[in-house]
Amino acid sequence: MSTPSRLPGIVITDHVFELPLDHSAPQVEQIEVYAREVVAPGRAKDADLPWLLFLQGGPGGKAGRPLGRDGWLERALDDYRVLLLDQRGTGRSTPATRQTLARRGGAKEQADYLAHFRADSIVRDAELIRRRLLGEDRRWSVLGQSFGGFCTLTYLSIAPEGLDQAFITGGLAGLRSSADDVYRAAYPRVVRKNEGHYERFPQDVAAVRRIAAHLADSPAALPGGGLLTVRAFQALGLLLGGGSGSGTLHYLLEEAWVEGTAGPELSDTFLAGAEAQLSFAQGPLYAVLHESIYGQRSVDPAGTAWSAGRVRAEFPEFDAAAALESGAPVLFTGEMIYPWMFDTDPALRPLKETADLLAARTDWPDLYDPARLAANEVPVVAAVYHDDMYVDTADSLETARSVRGLRTWVTDEWEHDGLRVSGGKVLDRLIAMARGEA
């Protein structure tokens, strides 16, 4: 534990924990897991203040870096001492990147190592941390955003005795949905987000077609060494699931061209902006582990096998070449990871074979215990975003019915990033629900 430091409205204490890489073989290898404790200045010495563990979305995303008492922390710090966990492999925890994984040996050794970086291991990390910080008998609450909500369901499945209550935002996973199920439900939602974007910005239909036609003939080099192909350009649709994402995409598109010496060419501004959205340099685990978050022996006995790419073939409306030929709008994709990304992104290229091995893995343990969830005694409240692009609403509501005592708030006021952008309103509503006040 470090000496506490201060930012406007918060006191921060750093914690680093030595934890087992493999919780079933705790003596074999240790990794570091970092967590940042955040508390309001007037309550820093309040030993009875309840703890709230925050599980970040992702996978492979480090916890946010607070610059003060803002966002959802503004509300949380009224009632809690918050612990922002850098999930294993991310942030200040022992990193897992192309640079560090190379030291472990070849692709098989890397894949075997990363098999320990899913929700079940994250939850077991959290439980050891809880015992060290709070003691064996004291419980804490958990706030899970997106993938963090998936982890919360795993927490309720394997260690509910550590939890006082659970808040979930945009993260009720399908308990028995295969990766193929997930993507078959996702592509139609992405179509709807495209339709919404083009209705909001009809001029973007022609703008996107022009860029796609140019890239079909001449893929563009990105400033960091990546390659912007038509498929990579379509992947900018990841933005469309956030509240301001459509506007962000539109503003990126409107600065796409400049007049060069040989005529119009894609601008450095556009290429740098596209790279900022597409590069996985700051979070390679998101790409490497993404489909594995759905892998469970009972539902994916053959492995996930690059599900997003296989299922995409069932939705020809995403075929950019056909759209260009027919005059139809070119559609963006969403939160899908494809094998070709490991060819076009320099941060992922060295991990291509590793990712292939993980996609072929068939022995993923189940992440959820339906029987235990059906008998759940931990109070759980969840925000479900209407037509969430990233997490299927139907799956979320079916899961809600499968977890005893879970209460939902279904809203179209916010998109998937509601926790982050609502200024504490989403969390405030969930806390009120947990207290029976809403």
Side-chain angles (χ1 to χ4, degrees):
M1 184 174 74
S2 70
T3 301
S5 55
R6 291 176 179 266
L7 283 168
I10 57 176
V11 177
I12 292 174
T13 305
D14 298 328
H15 299 270
V16 179
F17 304 91
E18 293 284 335
L19 301 176
L21 168 66
D22 180 354
H23 285 275
S24 68
Q27 304 306 319
V28 174
E29 182 176 352
Q30 302 290 300
I31 59 173
E32 288 188 348
V33 174
Y34 167 83
R36 177 178 280 109
E37 175 188 336
V38 185
V39 65
R43 310 194 73 180
K45 296 183 179 180
D46 184 352
D48 296 325
L49 187 62
W51 285 76
L52 178 68
L53 169 70
F54 179 62
L55 295 175
Q56 173 71 32
K62 64 186 179 183
R65 272 41 184 168
L67 298 176
R69 184 166 173 163
D70 51 19
W72 62 268
L73 276 174
E74 174 68 37
R75 176 63 185 88
L77 294 178
D78 284 344
D79 298 309
Y80 296 99
R81 186 185 304 270
V82 175
L83 192 70
L84 303 174
L85 180 68
D86 279 357
Q87 297 164 17
R88 51 172 53 202
T90 74
R92 289 180 58 185
S93 297
T94 299
T97 67
R98 64 174 180 83
Q99 295 163 299
T100 64
L101 290 169
R103 301 198 303 265
R104 302 201 69 87
K108 183 181 185 306
E109 291 76 16
Q110 294 177 25
D112 289 344
Y113 176 75
L114 292 176
H116 300 295
F117 282 67
R118 298 201 313 154
D120 46 357
S121 295
I122 293 168
V123 167
R124 291 186 171 96
D125 289 345
E127 266 299 274
L128 286 180
I129 292 170
R130 178 186 65 84
R131 293 180 190 131
R132 294 182 191 179
L133 281 179
L134 281 69
E136 288 286 340
D137 299 328
R138 189 176 176 190
R139 298 179 296 178
W140 58 13
S141 297
V142 61
L143 169 60
Q145 159 64 16
S146 191
F147 171 69
F150 294 18
C151 294
T152 301
L153 290 170
T154 301
Y155 212 143
L156 292 165
S157 295
I158 65 177
E161 65 277 4
L163 297 179
D164 184 44
Q165 55 189 350
F167 307 103
I168 296 174
T169 55
L172 287 179
L175 302 180
R176 285 294 176 260
S177 296
S178 69
D180 285 9
D181 294 334
V182 168
Y183 291 112
R184 285 196 179 99
Y187 278 111
R189 298 198 308 276
V190 178
V191 171
R192 293 195 292 274
K193 298 299 183 183
N194 274 273
E195 291 170 346
H197 176 79
Y198 285 136
E199 182 177 355
R200 186 176 296 112
F201 300 109
Q203 66 270 42
D204 284 359
V205 174
V208 170
R209 285 179 52 82
R210 183 186 179 193
I211 295 168
H214 175 82
L215 293 172
D217 292 334
S218 303
L222 293 171
L227 189 65
L228 186 64
T229 63
V230 175
R231 291 181 301 185
F233 173 54
Q234 288 177 278
L236 288 171
L238 179 67
L239 287 165
L240 295 178
S244 60
S246 180
T248 300
L249 178 59
H250 169 71
Y251 292 135
L252 179 61
L253 296 171
E254 71 178 9
E255 295 187 88
W257 298 96
V258 294
E259 195 67 32
T261 57
E265 60 183 78
L266 292 174
S267 70
D268 287 346
T269 298
F270 171 76
L271 294 173
E275 181 176 66
Q277 299 297 333
L278 296 174
S279 172
F280 290 98
Q282 295 193 55
L285 286 186
Y286 182 93
V288 178
L289 292 177
H290 198 270
E291 287 195 358
S292 77
I293 69 175
Y294 305 113
Q296 301 186 87
R297 278 190 296 255
S298 64
V299 295
D300 271 317
T304 58
W306 292 117
S307 175
R310 289 186 293 99
V311 173
R312 179 174 174 166
E314 301 173 16
F315 297 89
E317 55 265 53
F318 288 94
D319 185 334
L324 289 171
E325 183 176 351
S326 69
V330 173
L331 298 187
F332 293 98
T333 52
E335 193 187 34
M336 291 81 176
I337 298 298
Y338 302 106
W340 55 261
M341 292 176 170
F342 292 80
D343 298 316
T344 59
D345 187 339
L348 297 181
R349 282 177 194 145
L351 302 175
K352 180 178 177 63
E353 188 178 353
T354 301
D356 284 338
L357 290 173
L358 290 169
R361 200 175 188 102
T362 60
D363 61 348
W364 293 119
D366 284 1
L367 295 167
Y368 313 116
D369 184 337
R372 198 163 193 183
L373 292 171
N376 172 63
E377 296 183 353
V378 178
V380 187
V381 289
V384 177
Y385 302 114
H386 178 71
D387 210 28
D388 189 330
M389 191 177 84
Y390 303 123
V391 179
D392 186 59
T393 304
D395 267 355
S396 294
L397 296 178
E398 182 177 351
T399 294
R401 290 188 291 269
S402 302
V403 180
R404 181 175 177 267
L406 190 154
R407 299 177 61 207
T408 59
W409 168 43
V410 182
T411 177
D412 61 3
E413 185 177 357
W414 310 103
E415 292 280 355
H416 188 77
D417 56 355
L419 177 69
R420 179 175 60 84
V421 303
S422 68
K425 292 179 182 178
V426 167
L427 180 58
D428 183 66
R429 174 63 179 258
L430 295 182
I431 291 174
M433 287 174 64
R435 293 174 175 172
E437 298 170 357

